[in-house]
Amino acid sequence: MDEHDVPSSSAAAAAADVDDSQSGAAERLERPPRRQQKQKISNYGSNEQLERNNADHTDGPVLAVPYVVVRGTNSQPPRLSAGGADGGPGPSQQELEEEQGLKYGAQHVIKLFVPVSLCMLVVVATINSISFYNSTDVYLLYTPFHELSPEPSVKLWNALANSLILMSVVVVMTILLIVLYKKRCYRVIHGWLILSSFMLLFIFTYLYLEELLRAYNIPMDYPTAVLIMWNFGVAGMMSIHWHGPLRLQQGYLIFVAALMALVFIKYLPEWTAWAVLAAISIWDLIAVLSPRGPLRILVETAQERNEQIFPALIYSSTVIYTYMGTHYTPEQPLPTATSSPSYSNSTTTTRTTQNSLASPEPATGGSTARPGNSRAHQRQQETQAAAEGMPLVTFKRNLHGNEEAAGFTQEWSANLNDRVARRQIEVQSTQSGNGRLSNEYRTVTAPDQPQPELPEERGIKLGLGDFIFYSVLVGKASSYGDWTTTIACFVAILIGLCLTLLLLAVWRKALPALPISITFGLIFCFATSAVVKPFMENLSAKQVFI
Amino acid sequence: MTLPELFGCTFIAFGPPFALFVFSIANDPVRIIILIAAAFFWLLSLLLSSLLWFAVVPLRDVLAFGVVFSVLFQECFRYIIYRILRSTEQGLHAVAEDTRITENKHILAYVSGLGFGIISGMFALVNVLADMSGPGTMGLKGGTDLFFMTSAAQALSIILLHTFWSIIFFNAFDTNNYLHIGYVVVTHLFVSLLTLLNADALYWATLLPNYIVTILTGVLAFKVAGGSGRSFKRFVMCR
Amino acid sequence: MDLSKAPNPRKLQLCRTYFLTGFAFLPFVWAINVCWFFAEAFRKPTYPEQSQIKRYVIYSAIGTLFWTIALITWIVIFQTNRAAWGATADYISFIIPLGSA
Amino acid sequence: MAQEVKSAAIWLLLLLQSSAIVISERTRDKIYQPIIGASCFRRLNGTHQTGCSSTYSGSVGVLHLINVEADLEFLLSSPPSPPYAPLIPPHLFTRTNLLRLKEAGPRIISVVLLINRPKKMNQFSHELNCPNQYSGLKLDNRTETVTCDVTNVGNTWNPWGTGLLHEDFPFPIYYIADAEEIDKLESCFEKFNNFDYASHALRSLCAVEVKSFMSAAVNSEVCMRRTNFINNLGGSKYCDPLEGRNVYATLYPRNSPENLEANAARRVNANEKFIIVSCRLDTTSMFDGLGLGAMDSLLSLATLTHVAHMLRLLLPTQSTLPDPKRNVLFVAFNGESYDYIGSQRFVYDIEHLAFPTRSTHSTPISFENIEFMLDIGTLDDIRNIKLHTLTATPLAQQLLQKLNQYAKSPRYGFNVNIESNVGYQIPPTSAQSFLRRETKFPALILNAVPGNKYYHSVYDDLDNVAFIYGNTSEDYTILADINDKKYFDADSLQMKVRNVSSIVAMALYETLTGKQYQGNEVASSILADEFFYCYLQSSDCPLFKASSYPNSPAGLPLPPMRYISVLGGSQESSGWTYRLLGFLLSHPEPNVPKENCSQLPLFYFAGLNGTGECRRTTQNFTSALSPAFLIEDYDWRSGQYSTWTESTWSQFSARIFLRPSNVHEITTLSIGIVVFIISFCLIYIISSRWEVLFEDVPASNAALPPPTAC
């Protein structure tokens, strides 16, 4: 019968190493009501639907509000008092922010895992099915040394020289971009971006289509091909540089990144590709972290200009919202603290139905469930809340090997007012008792408010450059025909991404996404193909399982 | 050509884990991350063990040596990930969507175990599957054409075993139940060493015991995770 | 971008632009238009611009359908007659298959 | 931590020193076993495609050994688990059998393997009964040549021919020469297939996969059009025209001032007279890289070489001849097996005053310069050689008389009898290209009665001509005395060649000098020995060494490929013949230093004893590309010129493995699907109601009432 009470005690123990025992008691005391109302939901028969809701849209203020209250009350009682004492950003604020940072980090990580994995999948599938991308016979202009000699030493210096050239091109281009950006030559930059994405979407897609059909020996006529190309390209340009459905835009960005990666895999000599991967991640480190690093400069400039950066550069896990607050004020008055629960629930449930991602509002809202939340306090909180949405600064390279920096959206300050307004709503909703109100939350059916939802995206954004180089790494690994290596690289890169995002949530500053992942990836790629592969092949040949 | 074989074996080996993933992991980002982290740790253990195997040149052909050490390494890393998860529990508690993951510690164990299992299953099978896509099947130079199916079945049992082992293992360390720890290590060693017989195509001699062990371990894990005959009865009776 | 946030005139404008763009031999854009604004046109509670949006969506759907049928028929014709057409077929071929007529 | 680092370092050291690289075996290495062989490939002409091709992804068939005709019936009458890949020995590789297999279609027969088991074989020729049936001399524009009557097979030039070389097969044909490989196949067949045929469908069978996919299709017109038409970024190549090089050499260097043209005006030197002695350089076979053509063309090449060598040694300088403007032009035509590519081009060039090429800076040769042409055809049986002419001419009479005078003279004891044959019954040799242009052309053709049962086949090798390398390390550059027969017995190949070439050379000697040949010297049989060794056994041979640049890399230990192949293909045989003729026909220039000896006509040879020597040569190349590919919008169907092209391919490969039975596959798949579905349902149920199952543990869950879901 030890199974019965052991876990509870262990739970208590686990709780005890952070809280004091009575908090654990409070925990048990607090939770049942929530479970009960959870049961109630199922009574309403909409069990599945709601489960799925807070499954898919893992942000659920629906659940989050009571949670945070519960946790806020019992897990850090001292904080509560501190928070009560001064509205200012005490240490409690910091830690809370951190928790939420981690929380949204977790969701963001998944939101990024999916597209990154998709991109890698496209590349690996192509490499394994279309032999064209597997053999390097033509070379880029930037890699004059072709590693044709069998000598490893010669190959080595070839690779180093190539990557050096490539990197210098990259650096020059970055600086050029920074200058342009500083000088506010947006037209030039946009032209640049549009040109590069145009080439990718038309020329390289053309090449891709051709090789795909060749690989399967499928005849096709020009009218059809041209029509397909034309449609694909134009739709891509529209959705990337203008307005388009989010999923479509994301799809196009992923595909473009995959194409770019394939181009690198195809046209870079063997060792050069590896050298470039290493060099680029180092450069990433420098450019983002060093005080005078170009990308850091760019980020800061973008920050102080309150601009968001060109959508062609970054994969955004949410909508890049372009015209914040422009439409808001005319359409509805600032809701006051006395707005009805139904209204407040409209804001929340619509937020769950829209695909916009984890925003810290409910949590912070919960955390502000205390007397005296002044505007200043909220504003200040906003800044911290905004921080965790801060994306990784990255670059994208087009086929010239040049690169542009990718910033992140800064709309939080642009629409500060709306936030404040809704903040008040949630504060109000959370103030009025947890269980009951949250019941109301759930019982309300799908809202039908004509007035549009308040903009509040702050999804993490990952530069296409990261997509590209992750995919280059995995694709290169898979081009040796050993799947274990591929999988090892894949896992290593994802773990690296995890760590990066973790650091991001902890440090609250723009971070380079390449170094950790690429380092892990390289280590595991070579280790696996050199050491693990023979071992595993011996095992699997003899059907030995470990 | 033998794409049917390919898909058949893929379904056999990775169907159940995939189902587990879909229904119990995919909904929760934290669980996905833990899954991948577990996979990563398994990779590390494999890297170490194969380094050892690679370094000790004379014993390269003696697979038993490599197997024993890799099993030990895996268990070490299982312990490491246990320590890590337990120490970050508080953080996880803050991070997790539905706090079940920290309330019911077995979920953590289960998730990481599944991570271990999936990655090990993949590493064992993925190249075999890739080779399966050609027109031929096993048996030209010895080996029967049961090779692929047995490999798949074996991989499935390993995946499930890893899951169960982690559940038992974590709980054992929570409750200082050394018997269970011993059980995990011993059965792991037993199963892995038993598969050495596969080289001589003694499939029934390996598959049968392995699945028996799997079922036993599963039952034990079920008990450990708080299941009981009663609850099971109720579970079934609910029909 | 996210439709659920755009004001209605904006939606209408977008829908119209997509519809008009489609005339440049861009059935795909029409298809996007349909998928994107379908909910707006038929699911959402009525609002003044909706009728127009509905119209555009329907027209786009028709256009897409037409193009799809046309393309499929052309492809079928081409693939079946490619060998028979000889040189002309080769000259309008994007990919000529290896090892077959 | 430090310990870990240390141990890691130790490991790394171990890794570094453990140079023993790990040979890890992928599963596929246990599944597949490669089979080495030669594949049949696809050639196209103006109207058809011939040869064979696998499917795009490779053709797979279950091995089935054919020992007797009856075994074919098993395959052709409702086989248990098609498609099959019959293993056919040569004696069963007949036209009727192959056509039956072809009719059965690729669903029944997907691959044909020809195994090298020539025991019961007594004939094996896949050329037509009338080689070059659709080119050659034609009358009143019929499509077929008049020089050969298909209806009367016994009287054709290749009575044993099956014509399979000109058939199009829907399956790849793979020739396995190596005994080990054949054993692999047979043992695999015996072990897995050769019992209980009824249950073939139920068990895994030993199968072979052959990859030899051909890019080109339909005919030369289509594939050349597609090749020349760049329809997207990376244009793709479908086929190449057969292309090679003719080798020619003159007996006397044409360095008289009126033959060296100063300006670019191509003026013919009218009073130059040439006797053309020609033969055929190439041969062919059904399979890639195989086929020595020992009897069908190498004999004539050997004869030509000997004649050239002998004349070069016998004759005085050109100025001392009665007609000092006379010269002998030796030509070895390439690609004659494929509608006389070489000779057609040669004629075309002469018509356009393009021979010799401008680069030689010598005056062009026109038909007026040609006194007569002595074409050496096949010499299957030197006992009865015939001198073929279209019409009886005094020229022919005289030459025949001269030839016979030496052939029959007891003094030399060749006792060969050469008969005359006047009329349209002309062998398929290069002369037909000349006659085709102008039937009055003075062409005389030396050709034996066809006796080669392996014409244009892989078995026309040294056994077919009963060649045994004497390896007498004697000087082969000098003529032999008539009486030394010590090395080779009278009816050895070497002696045959010696005799024939001596006869021809003597006749030509008499023709040129006007005096009868009185000497005792005859062609050297040692040269013949070396010659055949080089061309039939190994390019790494004394003769080739002597005739190439000093200590240049030795040739491969394989005989040179004598198939014309395509541009950029290995032009081995033309290259070697070029050097050989250069070496044997040249005069030493002892006082020219090596460094000045790089420009033709000066050529630096290793020489007999490997110490280089500079020689004044007369040999050169001309292109052997059919005029059809030069003429703008040539009508491919006109049949005027050769239109042969060769398809491109990516790879030839064959491997054997076990092909799983459908039953096995279906079982695996269904088990997989069942497991998949069951696990899905099960886990869905569990996960949807896991509180029930694991009710006891979590304190928070403990208080729950059972979920309403059940």
Side-chain angles (χ1 to χ4, degrees), chain D residues 476-477 541-550 583 604-610 613:
Chain D
Y476 44 79
T477 56
C541 58
L543 187 53
F544 283 174
K545 272 206 193 68
S547 57
S548 54
Y549 197 77
F583 179 56
Y604 203 76
F605 292 99
L608 185 56
N609 45 14
E613 53 180 342

Side-chain angles (χ1 to χ4, degrees), chain A residues 388-410:
Chain A
E388 80 231 5
M390 178 169 297
L392 314 180
V393 174
T394 56
F395 358 57
K396 156 182 183 285
R397 279 148 197 81
N398 62 16
L399 76 162
H400 313 304
N402 70 7
E403 54 125 272
E404 301 91 0
F408 48 86
T409 55
Q410 288 292 321

Side-chain angles (χ1 to χ4, degrees), chain D residues 252-256 316-327:
Chain D
Y252 296 112
R254 301 178 63 210
N255 51 6
S256 57
T317 56
Q318 189 172 17
S319 51
T320 63
L321 291 181
D323 178 357
K325 296 278 176 289
R326 259 180 160 185
N327 200 343

